[in-house]
Amino acid sequence: QGTFAAKFRDPIQRNKPRQVPTTAKMAFAALLQNEQYTHRACGMHANVREVLRSVQKGDDPVVAAERIREKWRELPELGDIPMGMIFGTPIGKELLDLTSAEDAVVLCFIMDPMDIDCKQMTFIKSDSFASATAVFEKLYKWDWSVS
């Protein structure tokens, strides 16, 4: 009765709602559940991954965020669109959350110890663009780290 196997078989135990952790996943989870946004995930460009690894090790995340905003303003057709960003990990402490309700695009950079599991998730407010697909294509593995 009190064993792990018994709890696993018990539908009451199995169907209890999971507690949402109060970490970086809160903003990310809210975006995933927000019906105003559509999203896609892709791998993270290797150059971006290295910049964000430095942030994980103690570099100032605001410096990386300023670089992203600078490169964002240079993008044709997107530079004037409100954009937010989140740096985080799948589980654990949020490194940076610069989002607001006005953001038409939110870029989430999810860092993982394994390079292949580092992801860029792009969220686009559904009514902001004639073609969300074109925006997703433009931002696929976006390398904002280059000069």
Side-chain angles (χ1 to χ4, degrees):
Q1 283 8 18
T3 68
F4 174 77
K7 287 181 182 177
F8 185 73
R9 286 189 303 271
D10 182 355
I12 294 170
Q13 291 291 325
R14 197 174 56 224
N15 293 325
K16 280 187 179 176
R18 292 185 342 184
Q19 294 291 324
V20 177
T22 56
T23 64
K25 294 188 101 175
M26 288 302 290
F28 181 71
L31 279 168
L32 283 171
Q33 295 172 4
N34 189 329
E35 293 180 3
Q36 292 181 334
Y37 287 90
T38 183
H39 67 278
R40 290 196 187 158
C42 63
M44 194 181 293
H45 193 284
N47 294 341
V48 170
R49 188 176 59 239
E50 293 312 308
V51 170
L52 295 180
R53 291 247 186 260
S54 298
V55 169
Q56 280 184 303
K57 293 176 184 171
D59 285 0
D60 188 356
V62 175
V63 173
E66 288 170 357
R67 180 72 179 146
I68 292 171
R69 291 226 189 268
E70 177 185 314
K71 297 306 282 185
W72 179 260
R73 286 190 285 277
E74 295 173 8
L75 289 174
E77 302 165 11
L78 291 179
D80 295 330
I81 303 296
M83 182 268 296
M85 66 192 92
I86 297 171
F87 301 162
T89 58
I91 300 172
K93 185 179 175 197
E94 179 178 85
L95 301 173
L96 182 74
D97 183 350
L98 298 175
T99 58
S100 75
E102 292 80 37
D103 293 331
V105 175
V106 177
L107 299 172
C108 295
F109 299 98
I110 310 299
M111 297 299 294
D112 190 88
M114 302 272 306
D115 287 349
I116 197 163
D117 290 330
C118 294
K119 300 297 179 207
Q120 172 186 314
M121 298 223 30
T122 304
F123 292 83
I124 297 176
K125 200 173 268 188
S126 302
D127 62 354
S128 299
F129 300 96
S131 172
T133 301
V135 177
F136 283 126
E137 288 173 1
K138 186 172 288 234
L139 296 175
Y140 178 80
K141 289 189 177 186
W142 182 40
D143 185 5
W144 47 261
S145 68
V146 295
S147 299

